[in-house]
Amino acid sequence: MATATPPRPAAETAPLDTRFFGHPRGLSTLFFTEMWERFSYYGMRALLILFMTTPAAAGGLGFNTAKAGPIYALYVSSVYLLSLPGGWIADRVLGLRRTVFVGGVIIMSGHICLAMPSITTFYLGLVLISVGTGLLKPNVSALVGTLYGPDDVRRDAGYSIYYMCINTGAFIAPLITGWLAQSAGFRAILASAGFGANTSWHWGFAAAAVGMLCGLIQYWFGGKNLSPALLRPVRPSDPVAAARVDRQVRVVGLVTAGVLVVAIALVAGGVVSLDVDAIASNFKWVLLGITVAFFAWLFLSGDWTADERKRLVVITVLFVAASVFWMAYEQAGSTLNLFAQRSVDNSVLGHAYPAAWYQSLPALFIILFAPLFGVIWLRLGTRNPSSPAKFAIGLVFLAIAFGLMVGAASAAAGGARVSPMWLVLSYLFQVLGELCVSPVGLSAMSRLAPARVAGMVMGVWFLATAVGNFLAGSAASVYETMPLTTLFGIVTAIALAAAVVLALMIRPIRRMLER
């Protein structure tokens, strides 16, 4: 999230804007911007590890999973980790609206690079998409909040609509990009048009670029529905303080530009070789260092009250639980994607379909079940479980999902292709778990965060997602060397153990917060 509150639009004091199904017209602009951005992200993610592990003769990169897994892990964790500086850039340098647009342009450029059949443009594309998503994603979410006044009762409903737009893009994207990249039908079309059939992967990546272009176009023309004040970065009203912020921005900008220039010059001149494999394999130490430094700063830098320190402890517990959850859940794009490609009977009535299509299932289930969970939490009223209890329930659902995958892996151990229902049921239980963790986690972080570091504590959620995504990608690196029953069994055991530990901590946490 952005780390400072942007200037509130004048619409706060104006009559309520109800032009988009009872919500501000600007919500439609942000709805479709994020829908197309998620289309591009999930459309590409559905293909990424499959493309890397497909033999070169079939149009892929021919990597084994030991090499593809760390690269995938580095990419998916960087996407969320870069949200932290992305919020700072919006607050201090470009402003929310400009940062979102610049991020979208960089994302589109990254997908265009992936559409080119070159290993250099492949790596460049991943870097650009990571940077662009770090700029766009947290700040377009922050823009949604600026549409509503502090007492506007429509705020939660607005974010619910926005949440649905994310999953609409995530549902549609794998169906389109998967068909372009993997289907025999599209390969035949390419061949008949004089193109190489093996270039189909790059057409899938190109579709992701088109999706982001659509998002940029409608964001540009829909800008009139957003406050002009959000085009500028946040500055303190005091001239002295504003000048100090300007100096900080200039110093950070100059240092960053200098480091980039030197790094590019060293690589281009051959002084330093860019070993992508080594970077991906050792990124875990960078992520660990950032995590330790972040929490050390969180606990040691502030003169916290006893109550604030207790809440920071709870935030840390939820961070660990969320990291474990995303470690398993985000294997949809890594180990489960590989399993779908290699071990599932991907056909209906004799007609084959792309393995990437399974990546649409989580989004579909969220669209179907999110309203139901909202009603359940509302109906429970005072009996509504606490945030740690909901996290524990979510981890139990996750353990069930991967317990099913142990059964699927056992059935496929002899080389047989198993029923798609194994994956369908696994994704269903994973989504039931997500609905107990994802919206609840965001709410808990905002509620528990000390007011003076509210923005930074929201960064904890992105950091947990980054850690979880890295671990999920890393799991793919042992896909070909560890029995799948063991791999999925370990994930099941970790999720179940985390659920039990968290359940045992529910009462102590409640007593601690009540004192």
Side-chain angles (χ1 to χ4, degrees):
M1 286 288 186
T3 56
T5 303
R8 184 67 60 185
E12 257 186 36
T13 58
L16 287 180
D17 180 356
T18 59
R19 291 176 293 164
F20 184 64
F21 299 102
H23 289 266
R25 187 71 177 86
L27 184 60
S28 68
T29 299
L30 302 178
F31 179 104
F32 290 107
T33 300
E34 181 65 351
M35 185 192 79
W36 283 114
E37 186 275 330
R38 290 290 88 182
F39 175 97
S40 70
Y41 175 78
Y42 282 103
M44 187 277 281
R45 196 196 72 159
L47 307 180
L48 183 55
I49 202 160
L50 300 181
F51 171 67
M52 285 193 286
T53 56
T54 294
L61 295 180
F63 295 170
N64 57 29
T65 57
K67 180 174 182 176
I71 294 173
Y72 179 88
L74 173 61
Y75 164 70
V76 293
S77 60
S78 296
V79 162
Y80 291 95
L81 193 60
L82 291 173
S83 294
L84 298 176
W88 184 88
I89 289 171
D91 290 339
R92 295 290 184 260
V93 183
L94 295 176
L96 282 172
R97 285 180 55 183
R98 288 196 179 100
T99 304
V100 168
F101 187 80
V102 170
V105 171
I106 295 174
I107 291 170
M108 183 181 68
S109 301
H111 289 303
I112 291 172
C113 287
L114 292 180
M116 301 177 183
S118 161
I119 190 64
T120 301
T121 55
F122 172 75
Y123 288 129
L124 177 60
L126 295 184
V127 170
L128 290 174
I129 296 170
S130 298
V131 171
T133 305
L135 292 172
L136 185 148
K137 185 164 178 58
N139 296 308
V140 74
S141 300
L143 279 173
V144 175
T146 67
L147 299 173
Y148 303 94
D151 300 320
D152 195 328
V153 296
R154 302 173 298 167
R155 177 185 294 270
D156 287 348
Y159 270 104
S160 296
I161 294 172
Y162 177 74
Y163 188 61
M164 297 302 286
C165 87
I166 293 173
N167 288 287
T168 300
F171 169 69
I172 297 171
L175 300 178
I176 295 175
T177 63
W179 182 79
L180 292 171
Q182 292 188 287
S183 71
F186 185 68
R187 287 172 175 259
I189 292 173
L190 288 176
S192 64
F195 295 98
N198 288 342
T199 64
S200 61
W201 291 99
H202 301 285
W203 288 86
F205 292 133
V210 172
M212 192 65 254
L213 176 61
C214 292
L216 286 169
I217 291 172
Q218 73 84 36
Y219 180 74
W220 179 269
F221 286 103
K224 61 181 181 293
N225 301 312
L226 303 174
S227 170
L230 300 173
L231 287 168
R232 299 182 297 275
V234 177
R235 286 292 182 272
S237 56
D238 177 45
V240 176
R244 183 169 60 250
V245 170
D246 284 333
R247 286 195 298 271
Q248 292 173 351
V249 169
R250 285 195 295 270
V251 169
V252 172
L254 288 172
V255 171
T256 302
V259 170
L260 288 175
V261 169
V262 171
I264 293 170
L266 291 174
V267 172
V271 178
V272 175
S273 62
L274 189 60
D275 189 341
V276 177
D277 297 344
I279 293 172
S281 298
N282 292 297
F283 183 71
K284 57 181 177 288
W285 303 114
V286 175
L287 196 57
L288 177 63
I290 291 172
T291 303
V292 171
F294 187 91
F295 278 96
W297 171 86
L298 198 61
F299 278 95
L300 301 176
S301 68
D303 184 18
W304 307 114
T305 65
D307 178 65
E308 287 175 330
R309 195 166 292 279
K310 290 175 182 178
R311 284 187 279 155
L312 290 177
V313 171
V314 178
I315 287 170
T316 305
V317 171
L318 295 182
F319 169 85
V320 174
S323 297
V324 171
F325 183 86
W326 298 123
M327 173 273 297
Y329 186 88
E330 291 297 337
Q331 289 188 44
S334 59
T335 59
L336 299 187
N337 210 3
L338 290 169
F339 186 83
Q341 173 81 347
R342 301 180 181 188
S343 302
V344 177
D345 179 15
N346 301 319
S347 63
V348 175
L349 300 176
H351 296 282
Y353 55 85
W357 281 10
Y358 292 105
Q359 298 298 295
S360 290
L361 287 174
L364 174 62
F365 288 142
I366 288 172
I367 292 170
L368 293 176
F369 289 101
L372 175 61
F373 270 69
V375 171
I376 290 174
W377 302 142
L378 188 62
R379 291 287 179 88
L380 285 174
T382 57
R383 295 172 296 154
N384 203 350
S386 64
S387 297
K390 289 177 180 177
F391 269 54
I393 294 169
L395 287 164
V396 169
F397 278 129
L398 197 66
I400 294 172
F402 275 85
L404 287 169
M405 290 309 302
V406 173
S410 178
R417 287 190 172 266
V418 301
S419 167
M421 289 307 299
W422 287 103
L423 272 180
V424 172
L425 289 174
S426 179
Y427 281 134
L428 173 61
F429 279 102
Q430 288 180 56
V431 166
L432 296 179
E434 183 192 358
L435 292 172
C436 295
V437 171
S438 186
V440 173
L442 284 171
S443 175
M445 293 297 171
S446 63
R447 187 175 65 255
L448 292 169
R452 45 192 158 146
V453 290
M456 290 301 295
V457 169
M458 286 306 295
V460 169
W461 192 248
F462 287 107
L463 188 57
T465 309
V467 171
N469 270 268
F470 181 81
L471 295 173
S474 298
S477 65
V478 298
Y479 190 91
E480 293 170 346
T481 57
M482 180 183 290
L484 293 185
T485 50
T486 302
L487 175 59
F488 294 142
I490 290 173
V491 176
T492 303
I494 292 174
L496 193 57
V500 171
V501 171
L502 199 56
L504 294 174
M505 296 180 69
I506 291 172
R507 287 188 178 179
I509 288 174
R510 184 185 300 126
R511 288 196 297 267
M512 183 174 65
L513 293 178
E514 288 173 351
R515 289 175 185 170

